[in-house]
Structures are given as structure tokens and as C-alpha cells.
Amino acid sequence: MRYHNLTVSTIRVTTASAAYSVTIAPGLLRTLYPRLRRLTPGKTLSLFVVTSPAIWALWHDRFLASFPSNQQPTTLFLPSGESHKRLAAVESLAQQLALAGADRDSILLAFGGGIVGDITGFLAAIYMRGIRYVGLPTTLLAQVDSSLGGKTGVNLLAGKNLIGAFHHPLAVFSDIDTLATLPAVELRAGLQEAIKSAIIHDAKLFLYLEQNAPLILGQASDTDPGLSTKFAPKSTPGGIEHQPSNLVFADAKTMAHVVTASVKVKAEVVSKDEKESGLRMVLNFGHTIGHAIEAATHYRKLLHGEAVAWGSIAALHLSLNRGLITPEDFARMANLILRYGPIPPFKVAATPQASAAKLVALTSADKKKRSGRRAFVLATAIGRTEVAHNVTDAELLAATQSMLTTMQQT
Amino acid sequence: MRYHNLTVSTIRVTTASAAYSVTIAPGLLRTLYPRLRRLTPGKTLSLFVVTSPAIWALWHDRFLASFPSNQQPTTLFLPSGESHKRLAAVESLAQQLALAGADRDSILLAFGGGIVGDITGFLAAIYMRGIRYVGLPTTLLAQVDSSLGGKTGVNLLAGKNLIGAFHHPLAVFSDIDTLATLPAVELRAGLQEAIKSAIIHDAKLFLYLEQNAPLILGQASDTDPGLSTKFAPKSTPGGIEHQPSNLVFADAKTMAHVVTASVKVKAEVVSKDEKESGLRMVLNFGHTIGHAIEAATHYRKLLHGEAVAWGSIAALHLSLNRGLITPEDFARMANLILRYGPIPPFKVAATPQASAAKLVALTSADKKKRSGRRAFVLATAIGRTEVAHNVTDAELLAATQSMLTTMQQT
């Protein structure tokens, strides 16, 4: 095996309702079947892969490499793109499962990015009132964020993720190699979530991201200057897809470290607070304004990680304005976010003032806001945060305007 | 109040994941608002009623009688009938909830029969990853069975209840008066579930049903001899609807006793075994063949309770054949089931032999069967059952043939 000398990291997530392991390594797919076997010893495995046609075309050889010929899983396909993250897709998959004989002992394998994970997890939550699933995230964003924590669901016309369930996977296996076929722009957007993890909870990861930026960004830069635009999700929101490329990740070790450290942050936080009553809120750092940006741009102009990057810069400005962080720490954090760019600029109104006002108005609709109180996550140092419930619209407006000024200067 | 001297029964259901009360009384609807208030003290109530147009037309006056004028709930309608128990209806309701501003603190009120309860409970399970709901069952079947136990869900084309979630209500309020507008055939079908509860777990209820049959059946007999046919669900499966009638239940006290005792049986069983791993299986007495009958008649010819009645007679024959019950107990149990009829006869093949074979073949598709083992519930005495895993197809065939012979003789 090419990878025998690469470290396999295993991180345990333990919540009130479930406990499972996240395994991270390059080359993991090639050893998938024995790993699945070990999860449910003694039983015949009834496995159903849910994936996208593009991912399956690129990776099915490695995926199936370890399966005995008489134990091939059934494969169900989801068309890619956020527009398919709806109950109709869930119903179609459920119908296919039923016709293929899936029962309560069957296990779904969610092989793809965040949308595949969200839909498959939700499908598993409601098929026959709940069956098991395994996460096999193939994008950086899914590996460091969405595959963990048990949040599953689909969109309504009225809003994103308004339908869903908490349903934890049986296990998560993240093969770093699958990131090799990810467009650079998607990799960079995922790295912004890693930076967020560093800012909220892991000063050592922050330092690692600072010091290894050239190495990491070497993987995530566009060799073709037009590439970022080429793959930008303007026409198919959420539809950024894996592309044929070398299928080998040049610096898998560094990326594995970044993924592992980010997963540790999320695992620690969700282990302590499964259902977002308090601590888990800190994972929403940058998300209040980030979600407003996504809504204002109709989820078309920026990737989630890019919107969160701008939202994080706004949150840093607010933290600085409150005197919670030093100007030096502010500069280091804002600079790291910008260095892992370019983060596309956006415009939601004619003037910066009007843009800021529009974004702040949109934060009121954020579903994270319960019974009228807005919870806002502030940085208090590199690797430390706190949740404030007394952030005023005026503070939010000032911070958002400062963020837009930063955008104009870059 | 007319009902001040009628007993209000409260039964506690306690499972691993939830605890709630079931309150049973005639006239309960008139006191609904203060009862809901007590469930969530101190908070503003955000209430959404999910109901059918027919039920709402008959009962909205009493339903709203106790609500302050500035606290009127929002009402969402579901068309009646099993054909609407699908994800599309759930999505439409969720979209309406979102547009009406329902948030994580909102509470759904499931006001109707089993279908309204199943859909509303499932909607509550997946709206914003889970909000609370209160059961307000208006049919006898829903009051004694489907409103309890936390099973919620919808159908796929591939099969009934293949999509769903375990989600317990915050509370259940069963107003016996609402049974007054139920067609007699529906009332009788619900009584068959009460008989099932008596057979599996409550010899005293069995005796009560024997001794009070004239009184109870006085409520449930068709004044018009054509009524049973008139309301039979041949054209609209599951679409039996409440009918305008006197809106007062002549013998509410007797019926309240039957409902309360039946609820106690189910509450005890689900309290001990939430997710059907073992004990809860006994609630499926009569359901193995019952489900096969429903499937073979495409859910059009018999009501659920009627199919279970025939299924129970088959299960009693099997218990008798094994020598688990005496011929005397067999006769008492089978006779009680038949006395609470008429149970419509059915035919699923040209000969009784072929019918029996077809039904037995259909039991193999029953989703209660896990990993190849069939669990079958047998009576061991009046009020006592056991679960057997070694029932053979030959035994099942013989018992089903005996049941069909019983059918021909009645």
C-alpha cells in the first residue's frame, strides 16, 4: 500500500444520544469494507451507497476495491446541486430503497459532499423510522464540518434546512485523497471553516495554518487563473462538483493534519452540547452575517465558507470594537482569513451603508434566534470565544460596515 | 358545565425518551386552552392546529371556546384520506408553518383521526429538526391506539408507514364526545382494538366488554341498515369522516371507561418497551394476518380494526392449535370479536385454500419481520400473551384456513 506510513487519525464523538468515531487518512477508501465489517460484527451487511454520478464516476474503483464480489453495495444516485436538497429527492430515494429491499438492518453510505450527507442522513433518520448510516465525506467542508454533529435535513421553498432531524452516523470515514478532485475554490472555502475552528477553539491549529499557508495553499490555488470563475457556483448553486484530476493529493499529510485538528474542535464542542442549547453556538462564529450574506446573494454568488469568511471578519470587527481582542490579534485573525482567499467580493445594495443595513435586517430572520434573543459569537483571543446575547443592531451595523470597508480595500 | 360529575382520567406514559400524560373525558375540548397553558407555563403559546375540514366544521366552536380572543391558534387543513398521507402533504404543511412564522417554540395540535395524528406528529418531528406537538384524537382508533407510543409517519408508494420517526407528543387529550360524530362502522372498528387490548393484557376489560356489550353496541349500531355500507371506505380508503350528528355521546361514561382501560394497556406496554424490541410486539396481536388482509384487499375493503379482528381470530386458532388456550377461552375471545361486528367478509382468491395461501405469503413481506425471523403473538389466556419466533408457515396456513371457515359460518 502506498499509504502504509501515513497516520490514520481516529476521533471519538460522544453525545447524549450517540457515540461514534471519525477516521481520517489518505487512502482510506481502499480499506472501506473491512472497516464497515468491524462496525457490525457477525451480521450480513445490507449496504446502500447514496452518491452523485460525478463522484461515483471518479471514485467507484477505489470505493469498491475492498468489497468481496458477492458483497457489492447497491448504488443510488442523487443529482448534484442545492436545488435537489428537497423532500422530493428524499422520497425518490426512499422508494428506491424499499423496492431494493432495504430493511431496518440496512446501512446507508453517504458518499459525497455536504448535500449528499445532509440528504442521506435525513433519509436514514426517517426510513422505517430510522436506520443507520455512515458518513463518507468527499469535500473539505463536509469533512471538517457538516458530516459531524448529527444535523441532517433538506430545504423548503420558505428557507434552507427548515426540515430535518438530529441523527448521528454510525461512523465517519474521511479519505483525504478525495479532496484531490475538488476544485481549488471549494478547497479554499473549506479551509475557511478550518480557520473558524482555529479561531474559536484551537490556537495551535491557528499557528499551523499561519505557518503552513504556502504548503496548504499550494494545493488550493488555481493553476488556471480562470479556474475560480470557471467553477464558481453562479449557475448551479451548491453544484460545484468533483473534477477529474490526478486523484492523488500532493500534500496529503498536511491536509490530514488540518482536517484532523478541525474535526477535534467540532467533536469536542458537539460532544459537550448536542442540541445547540449553549456551547454549540460557538460553532456559529461568523455565521450570523455569513447567513445574511448568503440570503442577500440568494445563495448564488458565494460558497458557504466564503460567506462565513466575510461574516467572521464582521464578527472580529465587533469583538475589536468591544475591546475583547487586541488590535494585534484582530489583525492576525483577519489577515489569515484574507490570506486563504481570494474571497469574492459582493454587493447587495447601491451603497455600502445600504448593504450593511440590508444584511443586518436579514439577521433578524436567522433561525438561530430563539424567542427574540439574538445569540452572537465573539472572539476573546485567538482560540477563544464567548456568546453574547446583548449585541445591538447598531453594533452589528458598524461591524458590517467595517467588514465592507475591508472588502473594498482588498 | 354538563360534565362536572364525569371522571377525568389521566394516564402517564413514561418511556426512555419522553414522559407525557393522556387525559380522557367527555367535554374535554371546552377546557383545552387552560390545559395547554399548564403544559408550558410562563411562555407565550405559539399554536398551530392541523385538522381536516370536516372535523373542524363540526368541532371548532368547542375547540376554540376556551381560547382568549387574542390567543387564537392558526389552523392548517389536511384533506382527509389515506391517499394524502404522503411527504407532499408534510411539505405543504411545513411550508405553511414557515410562512406563518412557526419557530422552534411553536406547538402543533393534531386534531383528528389516525391520519391527522400520524402526519402532524411526523411534521413536528422534522420541522426545524423537531418541535413539540399535542395529540387531540377524535376517532376511537386514534384514542385507544395510534395517538400513543410516538410512532409517526407517512406512506410511500412502495408501502404504508415506510417513512416516519419516533416522536412523542407533549400530551394527549381525548374528548370522548368527539366519538359522537363518528360513523358507527368506524366506532366498531375502534372497539376491535379495545378488544385486542383486553385479550393481550387486561382480563377485567375483557369482562367489562362482555358484560356491557349491549350498552356499548347501542352506540355503535347502524340505525340505518345501509349505513355500514354507506360509510364503508370502498372508494376513499381511510377517508371515513366525522358526520354531523347529535354532538353528544349518549353513554359517554361507558365509552370513557373502555378508552381509559385500553389506553392503560398500551401505556404500560410502550412504557416498558419504547422501540418494539420485545414486549411491544404483543400490541401486534392479530396484526400479522391483519396486515396481510389489508394488503391483499388493497386497503379498500376493510377498516384497519376489521382486518385486525379477522387476524385476531386467526391468531386465536393458532393458539388453540398449539394447546396454549382452552376451547372455552378460545370461544369467549372469538365470540366477543364477532359480537362487536359485523366484520365484513372478504375474498382474496377463488377458493378458501388459495386465499389462505395468499395471505400467508403476504406475511413474509411484513416489515415487523426482522432479519428473517417472524415474531408472532399468541394468546395464552384471556389477558395474557406470548411472542413466539418458531411459528411455521404450515401452522399459519392452518390457522388462516380456520379463520376463513369461521368467516363462512358467520
Side-chain angles (χ1 to χ4, degrees):
Chain A
M1 296 285 281
R2 291 179 50 245
Y3 297 111
H4 68 280
N5 60 343
L6 278 166
T7 316
V8 174
S9 303
T10 303
I11 295 151
R12 194 81 185 149
V13 181
T14 311
T15 74
S17 63
Y20 57 95
S21 291
V22 183
T23 307
I24 300 159
L28 207 53
L29 276 184
R30 289 194 197 278
T31 61
L32 184 58
Y33 185 77
R35 291 179 188 277
L36 294 172
R37 262 287 30 145
R38 253 172 282 155
L39 289 173
T40 50
K43 286 206 175 183
T44 311
L45 291 177
S46 164
L47 301 172
F48 293 82
V49 188
V50 180
T51 188
S52 80
I55 291 168
W56 194 244
L58 288 167
W59 291 101
H60 72 277
D61 279 348
R62 288 209 200 174
F63 191 102
L64 296 172
S66 60
F67 284 73
S69 57
N70 62 344
Q71 291 284 317
Q72 300 287 301
T74 305
T75 309
L76 308 179
F77 292 106
L78 253 181
S80 39
E82 184 86 25
S83 64
H84 296 103
K85 194 177 150 182
R86 296 291 298 277
L87 276 178
V90 175
E91 182 164 49
S92 161
L93 290 169
Q95 175 77 8
Q96 291 173 61
L97 282 179
L99 296 180
D103 65 14
R104 291 178 186 179
D105 290 325
S106 298
I107 300 175
L108 307 187
L109 307 175
F111 186 46
I115 294 170
V116 167
D118 283 358
I119 293 178
T120 308
F122 184 60
L123 175 65
I126 67 171
Y127 185 71
M128 291 190 168
R129 298 194 200 99
I131 64 171
R132 295 165 298 172
Y133 76 106
V134 169
L136 297 156
T138 61
T139 66
L140 185 55
L141 185 63
Q143 291 187 354
V144 302
D145 187 23
S146 61
S147 67
L148 307 161
K151 286 188 182 178
T152 71
V154 296
N155 303 330
L156 286 178
L157 280 181
K160 279 169 68 104
N161 297 318
L162 287 177
I163 290 288
F166 282 96
H167 190 49
H168 291 284
L170 185 60
V172 177
F173 297 105
S174 292
D175 187 336
I176 297 296
D177 280 348
T178 59
L179 305 180
T181 54
L182 209 58
V185 61
E186 175 96 347
L187 207 57
R188 287 198 303 266
L191 285 165
Q192 290 293 342
E193 287 279 347
I195 294 172
K196 183 206 74 178
S197 296
I199 287 175
I200 63 172
H201 207 65
D202 189 345
K204 272 172 73 179
L205 173 60
F206 189 89
L207 200 62
Y208 188 90
L209 287 165
E210 280 187 327
Q211 292 175 340
N212 293 280
L215 200 62
I216 297 166
L217 288 167
Q219 298 288 149
S221 69
D222 306 316
T223 45
D224 167 0
L227 205 63
S228 171
T229 317
K230 192 170 155 197
F231 290 117
K234 288 192 179 75
S235 50
T236 51
I240 283 194
E241 194 47 277
H242 286 253
Q243 304 291 332
S245 84
N246 57 342
L247 298 196
V248 176
F249 210 76
D251 192 33
K253 215 164 179 172
T254 311
M255 195 56 78
H257 179 83
V258 172
V259 171
T260 303
S262 304
V263 167
K264 273 185 186 154
V265 170
K266 182 142 186 189
E268 256 184 59
V269 172
V270 301
S271 292
K272 285 186 190 149
D273 174 28
E274 186 177 7
K275 290 202 177 171
E276 208 165 63
S277 46
L279 177 62
R280 190 164 173 164
M281 282 284 180
V282 304
L283 295 172
N284 292 326
F285 183 78
H287 281 60
T288 304
I289 294 295
H291 283 152
I293 293 168
E294 288 185 285
T297 56
H298 308 287
Y299 300 90
R300 293 218 178 110
K301 181 113 180 85
L302 284 84
L303 293 173
H304 176 67
E306 293 170 340
V308 168
W310 288 126
S312 296
I313 286 176
L316 289 171
H317 275 293
L318 214 160
S319 307
L320 179 68
N321 293 345
R322 280 199 171 198
L324 295 171
I325 49 172
T326 63
E328 292 70 32
D329 280 355
F330 169 84
R332 275 181 71 193
M333 291 190 271
N335 283 338
L336 191 70
I337 291 169
L338 294 172
R339 189 166 172 197
Y340 275 79
I343 317 164
F346 63 90
K347 197 175 161 183
V348 298
T351 65
Q353 286 74 13
S355 290
K358 188 171 177 181
L359 292 173
V360 172
L362 280 165
T363 63
S364 304
D366 198 305
K367 75 181 155 56
K368 296 293 184 301
K369 191 171 150 184
R370 268 188 91 129
S371 302
R373 284 171 86 218
R374 174 196 283 131
F376 195 92
V377 189
L378 294 163
T380 55
I382 290 171
R384 282 230 302 276
T385 39
E386 66 179 29
V387 178
H389 292 281
N390 59 357
V391 167
T392 63
D393 279 1
E395 279 182 285
L396 211 49
L397 195 67
T400 305
Q401 280 176 336
S402 301
M403 176 268 285
L404 292 170
T405 305
T406 304
M407 187 188 293
Q408 288 180 310
Q409 290 162 351
T410 53
Chain B
M1 298 286 281
R2 289 178 52 246
Y3 298 109
H4 69 279
N5 60 344
L6 279 166
T7 316
V8 174
S9 303
T10 303
I11 296 151
R12 194 80 186 150
V13 182
T14 310
T15 74
S17 64
Y20 57 96
S21 291
V22 182
T23 308
I24 300 159
L28 206 54
L29 275 184
R30 289 193 197 279
T31 61
L32 185 58
Y33 184 77
R35 291 179 188 278
L36 294 172
R37 265 280 35 139
R38 252 171 283 155
L39 289 173
T40 50
K43 286 207 177 183
T44 312
L45 291 177
S46 164
L47 301 172
F48 293 82
V49 188
V50 181
T51 188
S52 80
I55 291 169
W56 194 244
L58 288 166
W59 293 101
H60 73 277
D61 279 348
R62 289 209 199 175
F63 191 103
L64 296 173
S66 60
F67 283 73
S69 58
N70 62 345
Q71 292 284 315
Q72 300 288 301
T74 305
T75 309
L76 309 179
F77 292 106
L78 253 181
S80 38
E82 184 85 26
S83 64
H84 296 103
K85 194 177 150 182
R86 296 290 300 276
L87 275 180
V90 174
E91 181 165 51
S92 160
L93 290 169
Q95 175 78 8
Q96 291 172 64
L97 282 180
L99 295 179
D103 65 15
R104 291 178 187 179
D105 290 325
S106 299
I107 300 174
L108 307 187
L109 307 175
F111 186 47
I115 294 171
V116 167
D118 283 359
I119 293 178
T120 308
F122 184 59
L123 174 64
I126 66 171
Y127 185 71
M128 290 190 168
R129 296 196 200 96
I131 64 173
R132 294 166 298 173
Y133 76 106
V134 169
L136 297 155
T138 61
T139 66
L140 185 55
L141 185 63
Q143 290 186 356
V144 302
D145 188 22
S146 61
S147 68
L148 307 161
K151 286 188 183 178
T152 71
V154 296
N155 302 331
L156 286 178
L157 281 181
K160 279 170 66 105
N161 298 318
L162 286 179
I163 291 288
F166 281 97
H167 190 50
H168 291 284
L170 184 62
V172 176
F173 298 105
S174 292
D175 187 336
I176 297 297
D177 280 349
T178 58
L179 306 179
T181 55
L182 209 57
V185 61
E186 175 98 346
L187 206 56
R188 288 199 302 268
L191 285 165
Q192 291 293 343
E193 287 279 348
I195 294 172
K196 183 206 75 177
S197 296
I199 287 176
I200 62 171
H201 206 67
D202 189 346
K204 273 172 73 179
L205 172 61
F206 189 90
L207 201 63
Y208 188 90
L209 288 164
E210 280 186 328
Q211 293 174 339
N212 294 279
L215 200 61
I216 297 166
L217 289 167
Q219 298 288 150
S221 68
D222 306 316
T223 45
D224 167 1
L227 205 63
S228 171
T229 316
K230 193 169 153 196
F231 291 117
K234 289 194 177 75
S235 51
T236 50
I240 282 194
E241 194 48 276
H242 287 252
Q243 304 291 333
S245 86
N246 57 343
L247 297 196
V248 177
F249 209 77
D251 192 33
K253 215 165 178 172
T254 311
M255 194 57 77
H257 179 81
V258 172
V259 172
T260 303
S262 304
V263 167
K264 272 184 188 154
V265 170
K266 181 141 186 189
E268 255 184 60
V269 173
V270 301
S271 293
K272 283 186 193 147
D273 174 27
E274 185 177 8
K275 291 202 177 172
E276 209 165 64
S277 46
L279 177 61
R280 190 164 174 163
M281 283 283 179
V282 304
L283 295 171
N284 293 326
F285 182 78
H287 281 61
T288 304
I289 294 295
H291 283 153
I293 294 169
E294 288 185 285
T297 55
H298 308 287
Y299 300 90
R300 293 217 178 111
K301 181 112 180 85
L302 284 85
L303 294 173
H304 176 69
E306 294 170 340
V308 169
W310 287 125
S312 296
I313 286 176
L316 288 170
H317 275 292
L318 213 160
S319 308
L320 179 68
N321 294 345
R322 281 198 171 197
L324 295 170
I325 49 173
T326 63
E328 293 70 32
D329 281 352
F330 169 84
R332 276 181 70 194
M333 291 190 270
N335 283 337
L336 191 68
I337 292 169
L338 295 171
R339 190 168 173 196
Y340 276 79
I343 317 166
F346 63 89
K347 197 176 162 183
V348 298
T351 65
Q353 285 75 14
S355 289
K358 187 170 178 183
L359 293 174
V360 172
L362 280 166
T363 63
S364 304
D366 197 307
K367 73 182 155 56
K368 297 293 185 300
K369 192 170 149 184
R370 269 187 91 130
S371 302
R373 284 171 87 218
R374 174 196 285 132
F376 195 92
V377 188
L378 295 163
T380 55
I382 291 171
R384 281 230 304 275
T385 41
E386 65 178 31
V387 178
H389 290 99
N390 59 356
V391 168
T392 64
D393 279 1
E395 279 182 285
L396 210 49
L397 195 66
T400 305
Q401 280 175 337
S402 301
M403 177 268 285
L404 292 170
T405 305
T406 304
M407 186 187 296
Q408 288 180 310
Q409 290 163 349
T410 52

